[in-house]
Amino acid sequence: MPVIYEELVRNPTAVVARTFDFVGLDFEARYVARVFGSSVGRRPAPDLDPKIVALCEGMMARLSRRDVTTSTAGTAITEGLGA
């Protein structure tokens, strides 16, 4: 499941811990001690080029699958960047 900014700042411990778990690293609560949700809803989201949105959605779909290995994830990123 892709993580959106609002989810990250509203529940940073869970989101970042899940990310660390995904990449196989140990999480410590101090990593999110200075993450605050006070900016949520203060400004509208910027308009992004549809090509950038499609690229990001494609990479997030690939990275959100549990069966993705490090080399596959790296390939997905470099392919998406046109490498």
Side-chain angles (χ1 to χ4, degrees):
M1 169 177 68
V3 175
I4 58 173
Y5 171 76
E6 289 81 1
E7 180 185 358
L8 171 63
V9 297
R10 286 187 180 132
N11 197 359
T13 301
V15 172
V16 176
R18 192 169 69 224
T19 303
F20 271 62
D21 181 56
F22 179 78
V23 296
L25 297 174
D26 293 329
F27 169 77
E28 295 180 28
R30 66 185 175 97
Y31 298 148
V32 295
R34 297 180 65 194
V35 177
F36 306 101
S38 59
S39 64
V40 174
R42 289 178 60 188
R43 294 185 185 154
D47 290 328
L48 297 175
D49 183 306
K51 291 179 185 177
I52 293 173
V53 172
L55 173 63
C56 292
E57 289 173 350
M59 285 192 291
M60 289 303 297
R62 289 179 181 185
L63 292 172
S64 67
R65 292 189 311 231
R66 280 302 203 173
D67 61 339
V68 173
T69 64
T70 303
S71 62
T72 304
T75 301
I77 292 169
T78 56
E79 285 176 356
L81 296 175

